[in-house]
Amino acid sequence: MKRNMLAIVILAATLINLSLSAVMIFTIIPKAKRTDALIEKIVAAVELETESGIGKDYGEIAPGDQDEYTFNDKAINLKPTGDKVSIAQVSITITLNKKHDDYETVQPLITGKENKIVAAVSNVLSGYTSAEVSLYADDINKDVLVKIQEIFQSDCIIEATLNVLAAN
């Protein structure tokens, strides 16, 4: 009789353990999936590269492995200050990585897509006044780089530099 009672207690404890484990699995896994999705959104927003194996790490790029294209004296509208319209004369320099896998496809397209590049720069600069352009130069260069990389759908373009010659 004592053996049967002990077997019943063990069976009950096992069933309780199994049911609690099932409840934990069904409550923790969905929360973990939501947390994972949130982390992916944060990583995408911060533009961090995860170790997914996509793309190569080219490390430090030697000056000899860089190719530059400059588009001089482009007139671009800035954000107006009050009733005053502002126009900037901008020189755009794009730097390519010669060792990148996409270099052979992107390099011949640079001069042909000059209008799209100038439009991307204009789109970015139109959000800044003439006074803000010099203050936020680094942010503007980063935004322009992202826009140009989107045009060519490649990270072969490693730098975009704007030189604002005159703003009025």
Side-chain angles (χ1 to χ4, degrees), residues 73-120:
D73 302 332
K74 301 297 176 187
I76 296 177
N77 291 328
L78 299 174
K79 183 178 179 181
T81 52
D83 292 337
K84 184 180 176 188
V85 176
S86 297
I87 298 175
Q89 187 177 2
V90 178
S91 177
I92 307 163
T93 303
I94 297 172
T95 308
L96 294 136
N97 178 2
K98 289 182 182 179
K99 300 274 184 177
H100 195 279
D101 296 338
D102 292 342
Y103 177 76
E104 296 298 324
T105 57
V106 172
Q107 186 266 336
L109 300 174
I110 293 288
T111 54
K113 299 219 180 205
E114 179 179 352
N115 289 337
K116 283 191 175 187
I117 292 168
V118 172

mmCIF file of all heavy atoms in Angstrom, residues 73-120:
data_model
loop_
_atom_site.group_PDB
_atom_site.id
_atom_site.type_symbol
_atom_site.label_atom_id
_atom_site.label_comp_id
_atom_site.label_asym_id
_atom_site.label_seq_id
_atom_site.Cartn_x
_atom_site.Cartn_y
_atom_site.Cartn_z
ATOM 1 N N ASP A 73 31.537 72.425 -58.701
ATOM 2 C CA ASP A 73 30.673 73.591 -58.899
ATOM 3 C C ASP A 73 29.222 73.237 -59.224
ATOM 4 O O ASP A 73 28.689 73.624 -60.250
ATOM 5 C CB ASP A 73 31.253 74.495 -59.990
ATOM 6 C CG ASP A 73 32.657 74.970 -59.657
ATOM 7 O OD1 ASP A 73 32.968 75.079 -58.449
ATOM 8 O OD2 ASP A 73 33.434 75.232 -60.585
ATOM 9 N N LYS A 74 28.595 72.526 -58.341
ATOM 10 C CA LYS A 74 27.175 72.206 -58.480
ATOM 11 C C LYS A 74 26.380 73.158 -57.601
ATOM 12 O O LYS A 74 26.666 73.328 -56.421
ATOM 13 C CB LYS A 74 26.893 70.753 -58.058
ATOM 14 C CG LYS A 74 27.669 69.730 -58.858
ATOM 15 C CD LYS A 74 27.288 69.776 -60.312
ATOM 16 C CE LYS A 74 28.133 68.829 -61.132
ATOM 17 N NZ LYS A 74 27.913 68.969 -62.540
ATOM 18 N N ALA A 75 25.399 73.801 -58.192
ATOM 19 C CA ALA A 75 24.540 74.736 -57.450
ATOM 20 C C ALA A 75 23.387 73.941 -56.838
ATOM 21 O O ALA A 75 22.632 73.279 -57.555
ATOM 22 C CB ALA A 75 24.014 75.816 -58.366
ATOM 23 N N ILE A 76 23.270 74.000 -55.529
ATOM 24 C CA ILE A 76 22.260 73.226 -54.809
ATOM 25 C C ILE A 76 21.498 74.138 -53.869
ATOM 26 O O ILE A 76 22.089 74.944 -53.146
ATOM 27 C CB ILE A 76 22.924 72.070 -54.030
ATOM 28 C CG1 ILE A 76 23.564 71.107 -55.031
ATOM 29 C CG2 ILE A 76 21.928 71.355 -53.148
ATOM 30 C CD1 ILE A 76 24.302 69.964 -54.419
ATOM 31 N N ASN A 77 20.172 74.009 -53.892
ATOM 32 C CA ASN A 77 19.311 74.805 -53.016
ATOM 33 C C ASN A 77 19.388 74.286 -51.586
ATOM 34 O O ASN A 77 19.355 73.084 -51.350
ATOM 35 C CB ASN A 77 17.860 74.739 -53.489
ATOM 36 C CG ASN A 77 17.648 75.464 -54.790
ATOM 37 O OD1 ASN A 77 18.307 76.449 -55.080
ATOM 38 N ND2 ASN A 77 16.731 74.960 -55.588
ATOM 39 N N LEU A 78 19.487 75.223 -50.662
ATOM 40 C CA LEU A 78 19.479 74.897 -49.241
ATOM 41 C C LEU A 78 18.125 75.250 -48.658
ATOM 42 O O LEU A 78 17.288 75.879 -49.309
ATOM 43 C CB LEU A 78 20.582 75.671 -48.518
ATOM 44 C CG LEU A 78 22.017 75.413 -48.968
ATOM 45 C CD1 LEU A 78 22.961 76.351 -48.255
ATOM 46 C CD2 LEU A 78 22.403 73.972 -48.728
ATOM 47 N N LYS A 79 17.937 74.886 -47.413
ATOM 48 C CA LYS A 79 16.701 75.226 -46.705
ATOM 49 C C LYS A 79 16.652 76.739 -46.543
ATOM 50 O O LYS A 79 17.611 77.359 -46.070
ATOM 51 C CB LYS A 79 16.705 74.537 -45.337
ATOM 52 C CG LYS A 79 15.456 74.751 -44.523
ATOM 53 C CD LYS A 79 15.589 73.968 -43.225
ATOM 54 C CE LYS A 79 14.391 74.159 -42.333
ATOM 55 N NZ LYS A 79 14.555 73.423 -41.072
ATOM 56 N N PRO A 80 15.539 77.364 -46.952
ATOM 57 C CA PRO A 80 15.468 78.829 -46.837
ATOM 58 C C PRO A 80 15.399 79.283 -45.379
ATOM 59 O O PRO A 80 14.831 78.606 -44.533
ATOM 60 C CB PRO A 80 14.178 79.183 -47.580
ATOM 61 C CG PRO A 80 13.410 77.925 -47.720
ATOM 62 C CD PRO A 80 14.353 76.785 -47.550
ATOM 63 N N THR A 81 15.993 80.435 -45.113
ATOM 64 C CA THR A 81 15.909 81.042 -43.785
ATOM 65 C C THR A 81 14.989 82.245 -43.908
ATOM 66 O O THR A 81 15.365 83.255 -44.497
ATOM 67 C CB THR A 81 17.296 81.471 -43.282
ATOM 68 O OG1 THR A 81 17.918 82.277 -44.273
ATOM 69 C CG2 THR A 81 18.171 80.273 -42.994
ATOM 70 N N GLY A 82 13.807 82.091 -43.363
ATOM 71 C CA GLY A 82 12.808 83.154 -43.492
ATOM 72 C C GLY A 82 12.358 83.258 -44.937
ATOM 73 O O GLY A 82 11.928 82.290 -45.544
ATOM 74 N N ASP A 83 12.479 84.451 -45.505
ATOM 75 C CA ASP A 83 12.104 84.669 -46.906
ATOM 76 C C ASP A 83 13.313 84.578 -47.828
ATOM 77 O O ASP A 83 13.179 84.703 -49.043
ATOM 78 C CB ASP A 83 11.455 86.054 -47.064
ATOM 79 C CG ASP A 83 10.108 86.116 -46.357
ATOM 80 O OD1 ASP A 83 9.506 85.049 -46.157
ATOM 81 O OD2 ASP A 83 9.676 87.231 -46.013
ATOM 82 N N LYS A 84 14.483 84.370 -47.278
ATOM 83 C CA LYS A 84 15.712 84.367 -48.056
ATOM 84 C C LYS A 84 15.999 82.971 -48.614
ATOM 85 O O LYS A 84 16.109 81.996 -47.875
ATOM 86 C CB LYS A 84 16.887 84.822 -47.182
ATOM 87 C CG LYS A 84 18.180 84.946 -47.917
ATOM 88 C CD LYS A 84 19.285 85.395 -46.974
ATOM 89 C CE LYS A 84 20.611 85.418 -47.696
ATOM 90 N NZ LYS A 84 21.711 85.672 -46.781
ATOM 91 N N VAL A 85 16.128 82.874 -49.934
ATOM 92 C CA VAL A 85 16.465 81.620 -50.592
ATOM 93 C C VAL A 85 17.985 81.454 -50.549
ATOM 94 O O VAL A 85 18.722 82.390 -50.836
ATOM 95 C CB VAL A 85 15.964 81.612 -52.054
ATOM 96 C CG1 VAL A 85 16.394 80.349 -52.761
ATOM 97 C CG2 VAL A 85 14.457 81.771 -52.098
ATOM 98 N N SER A 86 18.440 80.260 -50.182
ATOM 99 C CA SER A 86 19.871 80.002 -50.087
ATOM 100 C C SER A 86 20.296 78.986 -51.136
ATOM 101 O O SER A 86 19.647 77.952 -51.310
ATOM 102 C CB SER A 86 20.230 79.464 -48.708
ATOM 103 O OG SER A 86 19.940 80.414 -47.714
ATOM 104 N N ILE A 87 21.391 79.290 -51.801
ATOM 105 C CA ILE A 87 21.972 78.391 -52.791
ATOM 106 C C ILE A 87 23.439 78.192 -52.428
ATOM 107 O O ILE A 87 24.142 79.146 -52.111
ATOM 108 C CB ILE A 87 21.850 78.961 -54.214
ATOM 109 C CG1 ILE A 87 20.375 79.128 -54.586
ATOM 110 C CG2 ILE A 87 22.553 78.056 -55.217
ATOM 111 C CD1 ILE A 87 20.145 79.799 -55.912
ATOM 112 N N ALA A 88 23.883 76.927 -52.489
ATOM 113 C CA ALA A 88 25.275 76.616 -52.176
ATOM 114 C C ALA A 88 25.968 76.111 -53.431
ATOM 115 O O ALA A 88 25.385 75.375 -54.229
ATOM 116 C CB ALA A 88 25.355 75.560 -51.090
ATOM 117 N N GLN A 89 27.207 76.499 -53.592
ATOM 118 C CA GLN A 89 28.049 75.964 -54.654
ATOM 119 C C GLN A 89 28.874 74.856 -54.016
ATOM 120 O O GLN A 89 29.687 75.104 -53.127
ATOM 121 C CB GLN A 89 28.942 77.059 -55.236
ATOM 122 C CG GLN A 89 29.716 76.624 -56.430
ATOM 123 C CD GLN A 89 30.538 77.766 -57.012
ATOM 124 O OE1 GLN A 89 30.535 78.878 -56.485
ATOM 125 N NE2 GLN A 89 31.230 77.473 -58.078
ATOM 126 N N VAL A 90 28.650 73.633 -54.492
ATOM 127 C CA VAL A 90 29.195 72.460 -53.824
ATOM 128 C C VAL A 90 30.075 71.661 -54.780
ATOM 129 O O VAL A 90 29.757 71.498 -55.950
ATOM 130 C CB VAL A 90 28.049 71.558 -53.299
ATOM 131 C CG1 VAL A 90 28.582 70.311 -52.635
ATOM 132 C CG2 VAL A 90 27.157 72.323 -52.349
ATOM 133 N N SER A 91 31.157 71.152 -54.230
ATOM 134 C CA SER A 91 32.013 70.200 -54.936
ATOM 135 C C SER A 91 31.832 68.853 -54.250
ATOM 136 O O SER A 91 31.997 68.741 -53.037
ATOM 137 C CB SER A 91 33.462 70.678 -54.865
ATOM 138 O OG SER A 91 34.309 69.749 -55.475
ATOM 139 N N ILE A 92 31.494 67.811 -55.022
ATOM 140 C CA ILE A 92 31.192 66.493 -54.478
ATOM 141 C C ILE A 92 32.326 65.537 -54.844
ATOM 142 O O ILE A 92 32.663 65.397 -56.021
ATOM 143 C CB ILE A 92 29.867 65.948 -55.049
ATOM 144 C CG1 ILE A 92 28.739 66.953 -54.847
ATOM 145 C CG2 ILE A 92 29.529 64.596 -54.442
ATOM 146 C CD1 ILE A 92 27.526 66.692 -55.706
ATOM 147 N N THR A 93 32.892 64.884 -53.837
ATOM 148 C CA THR A 93 33.947 63.908 -54.083
ATOM 149 C C THR A 93 33.472 62.545 -53.589
ATOM 150 O O THR A 93 33.062 62.404 -52.435
ATOM 151 C CB THR A 93 35.254 64.290 -53.364
ATOM 152 O OG1 THR A 93 35.651 65.580 -53.797
ATOM 153 C CG2 THR A 93 36.359 63.292 -53.664
ATOM 154 N N ILE A 94 33.541 61.559 -54.480
ATOM 155 C CA ILE A 94 33.127 60.194 -54.152
ATOM 156 C C ILE A 94 34.359 59.308 -54.198
ATOM 157 O O ILE A 94 35.113 59.331 -55.171
ATOM 158 C CB ILE A 94 32.071 59.693 -55.147
ATOM 159 C CG1 ILE A 94 30.823 60.562 -55.048
ATOM 160 C CG2 ILE A 94 31.743 58.237 -54.893
ATOM 161 C CD1 ILE A 94 29.809 60.273 -56.108
ATOM 162 N N THR A 95 34.563 58.508 -53.160
ATOM 163 C CA THR A 95 35.711 57.616 -53.080
ATOM 164 C C THR A 95 35.245 56.176 -53.186
ATOM 165 O O THR A 95 34.348 55.759 -52.463
ATOM 166 C CB THR A 95 36.473 57.821 -51.758
ATOM 167 O OG1 THR A 95 36.775 59.208 -51.603
ATOM 168 C CG2 THR A 95 37.751 57.023 -51.729
ATOM 169 N N LEU A 96 35.876 55.423 -54.089
ATOM 170 C CA LEU A 96 35.554 54.014 -54.304
ATOM 171 C C LEU A 96 36.701 53.135 -53.823
ATOM 172 O O LEU A 96 37.864 53.543 -53.859
ATOM 173 C CB LEU A 96 35.341 53.745 -55.796
ATOM 174 C CG LEU A 96 34.143 54.421 -56.409
ATOM 175 C CD1 LEU A 96 34.504 55.010 -57.733
ATOM 176 C CD2 LEU A 96 33.041 53.427 -56.579
ATOM 177 N N ASN A 97 36.364 51.922 -53.418
ATOM 178 C CA ASN A 97 37.351 50.926 -53.024
ATOM 179 C C ASN A 97 37.674 50.068 -54.243
ATOM 180 O O ASN A 97 36.828 49.321 -54.728
ATOM 181 C CB ASN A 97 36.791 50.060 -51.893
ATOM 182 C CG ASN A 97 37.733 48.977 -51.455
ATOM 183 O OD1 ASN A 97 38.840 48.855 -51.936
ATOM 184 N ND2 ASN A 97 37.273 48.154 -50.518
ATOM 185 N N LYS A 98 38.902 50.161 -54.750
ATOM 186 C CA LYS A 98 39.302 49.410 -55.945
ATOM 187 C C LYS A 98 39.336 47.898 -55.703
ATOM 188 O O LYS A 98 39.205 47.124 -56.641
ATOM 189 C CB LYS A 98 40.691 49.856 -56.414
ATOM 190 C CG LYS A 98 40.746 51.221 -57.012
ATOM 191 C CD LYS A 98 42.165 51.512 -57.481
ATOM 192 C CE LYS A 98 42.305 52.893 -58.058
ATOM 193 N NZ LYS A 98 43.689 53.161 -58.477
ATOM 194 N N LYS A 99 39.498 47.465 -54.472
ATOM 195 C CA LYS A 99 39.586 46.039 -54.152
ATOM 196 C C LYS A 99 38.218 45.394 -53.937
ATOM 197 O O LYS A 99 38.117 44.191 -53.775
ATOM 198 C CB LYS A 99 40.426 45.830 -52.884
ATOM 199 C CG LYS A 99 41.830 46.323 -52.971
ATOM 200 C CD LYS A 99 42.718 45.297 -53.575
ATOM 201 C CE LYS A 99 44.154 45.819 -53.539
ATOM 202 N NZ LYS A 99 45.081 44.867 -54.042
ATOM 203 N N HIS A 100 37.165 46.200 -53.943
ATOM 204 C CA HIS A 100 35.815 45.689 -53.691
ATOM 205 C C HIS A 100 35.346 44.851 -54.871
ATOM 206 O O HIS A 100 35.701 45.108 -56.020
ATOM 207 C CB HIS A 100 34.855 46.862 -53.444
ATOM 208 C CG HIS A 100 33.561 46.453 -52.835
ATOM 209 N ND1 HIS A 100 32.527 45.932 -53.565
ATOM 210 C CD2 HIS A 100 33.132 46.488 -51.549
ATOM 211 C CE1 HIS A 100 31.512 45.677 -52.774
ATOM 212 N NE2 HIS A 100 31.856 45.999 -51.537
ATOM 213 N N ASP A 101 34.523 43.847 -54.582
ATOM 214 C CA ASP A 101 34.003 42.970 -55.632
ATOM 215 C C ASP A 101 33.162 43.720 -56.661
ATOM 216 O O ASP A 101 33.123 43.344 -57.829
ATOM 217 C CB ASP A 101 33.153 41.852 -55.008
ATOM 218 C CG ASP A 101 33.977 40.935 -54.114
ATOM 219 O OD1 ASP A 101 35.208 40.885 -54.295
ATOM 220 O OD2 ASP A 101 33.383 40.277 -53.241
ATOM 221 N N ASP A 102 32.457 44.782 -56.236
ATOM 222 C CA ASP A 102 31.575 45.534 -57.130
ATOM 223 C C ASP A 102 32.276 46.661 -57.877
ATOM 224 O O ASP A 102 31.640 47.371 -58.656
ATOM 225 C CB ASP A 102 30.416 46.157 -56.321
ATOM 226 C CG ASP A 102 29.475 45.115 -55.777
ATOM 227 O OD1 ASP A 102 29.490 43.975 -56.271
ATOM 228 O OD2 ASP A 102 28.709 45.434 -54.850
ATOM 229 N N TYR A 103 33.558 46.843 -57.663
ATOM 230 C CA TYR A 103 34.254 47.989 -58.260
ATOM 231 C C TYR A 103 34.135 48.002 -59.775
ATOM 232 O O TYR A 103 33.869 49.047 -60.380
ATOM 233 C CB TYR A 103 35.732 48.000 -57.849
ATOM 234 C CG TYR A 103 36.517 49.116 -58.497
ATOM 235 C CD1 TYR A 103 36.384 50.417 -58.049
ATOM 236 C CD2 TYR A 103 37.371 48.874 -59.565
ATOM 237 C CE1 TYR A 103 37.084 51.453 -58.636
ATOM 238 C CE2 TYR A 103 38.075 49.905 -60.161
ATOM 239 C CZ TYR A 103 37.936 51.188 -59.700
ATOM 240 O OH TYR A 103 38.623 52.217 -60.290
ATOM 241 N N GLU A 104 34.301 46.858 -60.415
ATOM 242 C CA GLU A 104 34.262 46.790 -61.880
ATOM 243 C C GLU A 104 32.889 47.156 -62.439
ATOM 244 O O GLU A 104 32.793 47.648 -63.567
ATOM 245 C CB GLU A 104 34.664 45.388 -62.358
ATOM 246 C CG GLU A 104 36.093 45.014 -62.018
ATOM 247 C CD GLU A 104 37.116 45.921 -62.674
ATOM 248 O OE1 GLU A 104 36.902 46.353 -63.817
ATOM 249 O OE2 GLU A 104 38.150 46.207 -62.030
ATOM 250 N N THR A 105 31.822 46.948 -61.672
ATOM 251 C CA THR A 105 30.485 47.302 -62.161
ATOM 252 C C THR A 105 30.101 48.728 -61.783
ATOM 253 O O THR A 105 29.411 49.406 -62.545
ATOM 254 C CB THR A 105 29.419 46.323 -61.619
ATOM 255 O OG1 THR A 105 29.475 46.318 -60.196
ATOM 256 C CG2 THR A 105 29.649 44.930 -62.147
ATOM 257 N N VAL A 106 30.538 49.201 -60.621
ATOM 258 C CA VAL A 106 30.156 50.543 -60.155
ATOM 259 C C VAL A 106 30.975 51.635 -60.829
ATOM 260 O O VAL A 106 30.429 52.666 -61.230
ATOM 261 C CB VAL A 106 30.286 50.638 -58.615
ATOM 262 C CG1 VAL A 106 30.098 52.058 -58.129
ATOM 263 C CG2 VAL A 106 29.284 49.716 -57.944
ATOM 264 N N GLN A 107 32.265 51.417 -61.001
ATOM 265 C CA GLN A 107 33.176 52.454 -61.495
ATOM 266 C C GLN A 107 32.745 53.041 -62.840
ATOM 267 O O GLN A 107 32.714 54.252 -62.998
ATOM 268 C CB GLN A 107 34.609 51.892 -61.551
ATOM 269 C CG GLN A 107 35.669 52.888 -61.914
ATOM 270 C CD GLN A 107 35.965 52.889 -63.407
ATOM 271 O OE1 GLN A 107 35.724 51.909 -64.104
ATOM 272 N NE2 GLN A 107 36.447 54.007 -63.877
ATOM 273 N N PRO A 108 32.364 52.243 -63.841
ATOM 274 C CA PRO A 108 31.965 52.857 -65.111
ATOM 275 C C PRO A 108 30.653 53.646 -65.030
ATOM 276 O O PRO A 108 30.377 54.477 -65.896
ATOM 277 C CB PRO A 108 31.807 51.675 -66.062
ATOM 278 C CG PRO A 108 32.312 50.481 -65.372
ATOM 279 C CD PRO A 108 32.421 50.794 -63.926
ATOM 280 N N LEU A 109 29.851 53.408 -64.011
ATOM 281 C CA LEU A 109 28.545 54.049 -63.896
ATOM 282 C C LEU A 109 28.594 55.407 -63.198
ATOM 283 O O LEU A 109 27.610 56.153 -63.228
ATOM 284 C CB LEU A 109 27.579 53.136 -63.140
ATOM 285 C CG LEU A 109 27.312 51.762 -63.762
ATOM 286 C CD1 LEU A 109 26.462 50.923 -62.828
ATOM 287 C CD2 LEU A 109 26.647 51.905 -65.117
ATOM 288 N N ILE A 110 29.704 55.730 -62.549
ATOM 289 C CA ILE A 110 29.785 56.946 -61.727
ATOM 290 C C ILE A 110 29.458 58.189 -62.546
ATOM 291 O O ILE A 110 28.585 58.966 -62.170
ATOM 292 C CB ILE A 110 31.177 57.074 -61.068
ATOM 293 C CG1 ILE A 110 31.390 55.972 -60.037
ATOM 294 C CG2 ILE A 110 31.358 58.440 -60.416
ATOM 295 C CD1 ILE A 110 30.607 56.099 -58.779
ATOM 296 N N THR A 111 30.151 58.404 -63.647
ATOM 297 C CA THR A 111 29.931 59.638 -64.419
ATOM 298 C C THR A 111 28.555 59.642 -65.073
ATOM 299 O O THR A 111 27.954 60.703 -65.227
ATOM 300 C CB THR A 111 31.027 59.823 -65.486
ATOM 301 O OG1 THR A 111 31.092 58.648 -66.298
ATOM 302 C CG2 THR A 111 32.374 60.083 -64.832
ATOM 303 N N GLY A 112 28.035 58.485 -65.430
ATOM 304 C CA GLY A 112 26.711 58.417 -66.048
ATOM 305 C C GLY A 112 25.587 58.722 -65.080
ATOM 306 O O GLY A 112 24.503 59.130 -65.483
ATOM 307 N N LYS A 113 25.830 58.514 -63.811
ATOM 308 C CA LYS A 113 24.795 58.761 -62.799
ATOM 309 C C LYS A 113 25.047 60.062 -62.048
ATOM 310 O O LYS A 113 24.574 60.244 -60.934
ATOM 311 C CB LYS A 113 24.723 57.582 -61.832
ATOM 312 C CG LYS A 113 24.366 56.281 -62.517
ATOM 313 C CD LYS A 113 23.453 55.467 -61.696
ATOM 314 C CE LYS A 113 23.132 54.186 -62.451
ATOM 315 N NZ LYS A 113 21.918 53.616 -62.071
ATOM 316 N N GLU A 114 25.761 60.973 -62.664
ATOM 317 C CA GLU A 114 26.079 62.247 -62.019
ATOM 318 C C GLU A 114 24.818 62.995 -61.600
ATOM 319 O O GLU A 114 24.752 63.534 -60.498
ATOM 320 C CB GLU A 114 26.912 63.113 -62.965
ATOM 321 C CG GLU A 114 27.256 64.467 -62.387
ATOM 322 C CD GLU A 114 28.110 65.304 -63.318
ATOM 323 O OE1 GLU A 114 28.569 64.798 -64.350
ATOM 324 O OE2 GLU A 114 28.308 66.488 -62.993
ATOM 325 N N ASN A 115 23.799 62.994 -62.450
ATOM 326 C CA ASN A 115 22.561 63.711 -62.113
ATOM 327 C C ASN A 115 21.875 63.107 -60.890
ATOM 328 O O ASN A 115 21.347 63.840 -60.051
ATOM 329 C CB ASN A 115 21.613 63.715 -63.307
ATOM 330 C CG ASN A 115 22.104 64.614 -64.414
ATOM 331 O OD1 ASN A 115 22.878 65.547 -64.186
ATOM 332 N ND2 ASN A 115 21.689 64.331 -65.635
ATOM 333 N N LYS A 116 21.890 61.778 -60.786
ATOM 334 C CA LYS A 116 21.273 61.134 -59.618
ATOM 335 C C LYS A 116 22.072 61.438 -58.353
ATOM 336 O O LYS A 116 21.504 61.627 -57.291
ATOM 337 C CB LYS A 116 21.172 59.627 -59.826
ATOM 338 C CG LYS A 116 20.059 59.220 -60.745
ATOM 339 C CD LYS A 116 19.845 57.731 -60.702
ATOM 340 C CE LYS A 116 18.639 57.373 -61.547
ATOM 341 N NZ LYS A 116 18.282 55.966 -61.428
ATOM 342 N N ILE A 117 23.386 61.480 -58.494
ATOM 343 C CA ILE A 117 24.234 61.785 -57.340
ATOM 344 C C ILE A 117 23.986 63.214 -56.867
ATOM 345 O O ILE A 117 23.811 63.469 -55.678
ATOM 346 C CB ILE A 117 25.723 61.566 -57.689
ATOM 347 C CG1 ILE A 117 25.988 60.073 -57.910
ATOM 348 C CG2 ILE A 117 26.627 62.114 -56.601
ATOM 349 C CD1 ILE A 117 27.333 59.768 -58.531
ATOM 350 N N VAL A 118 23.926 64.144 -57.816
ATOM 351 C CA VAL A 118 23.664 65.548 -57.466
ATOM 352 C C VAL A 118 22.271 65.681 -56.859
ATOM 353 O O VAL A 118 22.064 66.434 -55.895
ATOM 354 C CB VAL A 118 23.844 66.461 -58.703
ATOM 355 C CG1 VAL A 118 23.388 67.871 -58.405
ATOM 356 C CG2 VAL A 118 25.294 66.451 -59.157
ATOM 357 N N ALA A 119 21.294 64.927 -57.376
ATOM 358 C CA ALA A 119 19.941 64.966 -56.817
ATOM 359 C C ALA A 119 19.927 64.430 -55.381
ATOM 360 O O ALA A 119 19.228 64.974 -54.520
ATOM 361 C CB ALA A 119 18.988 64.165 -57.688
ATOM 362 N N ALA A 120 20.703 63.378 -55.112
ATOM 363 C CA ALA A 120 20.776 62.835 -53.750
ATOM 364 C C ALA A 120 21.401 63.847 -52.804
ATOM 365 O O ALA A 120 20.932 64.046 -51.679
ATOM 366 C CB ALA A 120 21.572 61.527 -53.745
#
